[in-house]
Amino acid sequence: MPYITVVGSSNTDMVVKTARFPEPGETIIGGNFYMFPGGKGANQAVAAARAGGQVRFICSVGDDLFGKNALEGYRKEGIDVDAALTIEGGASGVALITVNESGENEIVVASGTNAELSVEHLGAALQSSLDTDVFLTQLETPVDAVAFLADYSKKNGKKLVINPAPAQTLSDSILDGLYLITPNETEAKLLTGIEVHDEASQLRAAEVLLNKGVQNVIITLGSKGSFFKNAKEHFTTTSPKVKAVDTTAAGDVYNGVLTVCLAKNMTWRESMQYASRAAALSVTQMGAQDTAPTEIEINQFQ
């Protein structure tokens, strides 16, 4: 069984369905309200566990009800959270999400204790992660922790996948030697300065990242699939066509499942196609972590 260590955020998602997004200053009447476990790190950890990975999750939560419920939920998924940091008196992260009738979303995150995942705690937690095949992280936790993980991975010969979301720039020292980065089109533009809208611009953006020392680049294209490039090859894979209900955690499911595939030494094309199937399944339901499909469901979906 492949070993995955996810370093990232844990949130509680509060979701309102609405016909359309409000304009600035406008109040509209929405539909149903939902509350789900979320956070990009947690979503990816759950997706990886359900896809057959042995997952360790390093995160930071408060000792409030949200934090306690989150850790209990991860344990039920079979995820090792022994290295999670609990902040006494801390407020766990929350995300306020609006989903329109097309399944598109707008999200505002209050980081809470996610912002307190320190380099010191991460350094200690990584001592129990020497068996890890692939590390996975995102950008909802402090960037200095991401930089520390990147440096640790290089020094110890470990594969690190960075999903650069929410979108922000990354230093050249983080990118140099990085095994894989997985931006979407918006994130790729911020990282490279190139607006990604077709294969030619995908190639140019990927080249910028490769020239900074990244070994492999995947640009996710939503319902259009995903684009891959490294020093040897480039290609695009497609995504299954489904009716989207809620796209909130599609990228997280893709990254979590992709990481398991890479830990199993599947090819790039096989890994991307498998991850796209999982992501497509996830958007057919409301929610975040709860929408991550199991390995059996992914295998049965064509």
Side-chain angles (χ1 to χ4, degrees):
M1 182 178 291
Y3 281 81
I4 312 295
T5 294
V6 179
V7 178
S9 56
S10 172
N11 289 329
T12 298
D13 293 347
M14 301 181 185
V15 184
V16 175
K17 288 276 284 185
T18 181
R20 63 176 178 86
F21 298 129
E23 299 294 330
E26 180 186 18
T27 299
I28 62 175
I29 301 299
N32 293 333
F33 169 77
Y34 305 89
M35 191 159 67
F36 303 109
K40 298 192 73 63
N43 296 345
Q44 293 176 10
V46 169
R50 291 187 181 180
Q54 182 72 35
V55 180
R56 179 179 294 108
F57 183 33
I58 302 172
C59 62
S60 177
V61 299
D63 61 355
D64 54 7
L65 184 61
F66 290 150
K68 292 174 182 176
N69 286 345
L71 293 180
E72 181 182 354
Y74 306 145
R75 292 188 182 100
K76 287 181 179 178
E77 295 284 350
I79 296 171
D80 177 356
V81 288
D82 288 349
L85 175 64
T86 299
I87 305 294
E88 185 177 351
S92 300
V94 297
L96 307 179
I97 303 173
T98 305
V99 181
N100 70 12
E101 61 186 5
S102 299
E104 299 171 317
N105 61 72
E106 293 184 342
I107 306 174
V108 178
V109 175
S111 295
T113 51
N114 289 309
E116 300 186 50
L117 183 59
S118 66
V119 167
E120 291 75 19
H121 177 77
L122 181 56
L126 289 175
Q127 297 306 307
S128 62
S129 301
L130 298 177
D131 55 352
T132 294
D133 295 301
V134 183
F135 286 93
L136 172 63
T137 194
Q138 330 73 32
L139 304 180
E140 282 185 339
T141 48
V143 71
D144 59 347
V146 175
F148 180 88
L149 181 59
D151 185 61
Y152 173 91
S153 300
K154 293 170 201 173
K155 288 179 178 177
N156 290 276
K158 298 292 186 178
K159 295 177 179 178
L160 171 62
V161 178
I162 294 182
N163 173 221
Q168 60 178 285
T169 58
L170 292 172
S171 68
D172 288 351
S173 62
I174 291 176
L175 297 175
D176 187 20
L178 178 66
Y179 179 68
L180 171 65
I181 194 165
T182 61
N184 62 21
E185 293 159 295
T186 300
E187 293 150 6
K189 179 182 178 181
L190 182 62
L191 289 167
T192 67
I194 295 171
E195 186 167 346
V196 175
H197 54 82
D198 58 14
E199 185 176 2
S201 56
Q202 293 160 13
L203 275 167
R204 292 197 302 272
E207 282 288 357
V208 171
L209 293 167
L210 292 175
N211 288 336
K212 289 181 179 290
V214 179
Q215 298 176 44
N216 304 283
V217 177
I218 291 176
I219 301 176
T220 57
L221 310 171
S223 61
K224 296 177 290 183
S226 47
F227 170 84
F228 174 82
K229 180 165 176 53
N230 64 12
K232 297 180 179 179
E233 61 178 337
H234 72 269
F235 57 83
T236 300
T237 61
T238 59
S239 177
K241 302 303 179 187
V242 296
K243 178 175 175 55
V245 174
D246 181 3
T247 61
T248 300
D252 297 331
V253 170
Y254 182 96
N255 278 275
V257 174
L258 177 77
T259 305
V260 174
C261 294
L262 297 178
K264 289 180 177 179
N265 294 315
M266 293 169 61
T267 69
W268 287 108
R269 190 181 295 273
E270 289 169 340
S271 299
M272 292 163 64
Q273 289 173 333
Y274 196 80
S276 288
R277 283 160 57 191
L281 271 172
S282 75
V283 305
T284 62
Q285 305 175 63
M286 281 289 298
Q289 282 169 39
D290 293 343
T291 69
T294 64
E295 187 175 14
I296 292 174
E297 290 170 333
I298 302 170
N299 290 336
Q300 291 176 343
F301 178 60
Q302 301 296 329

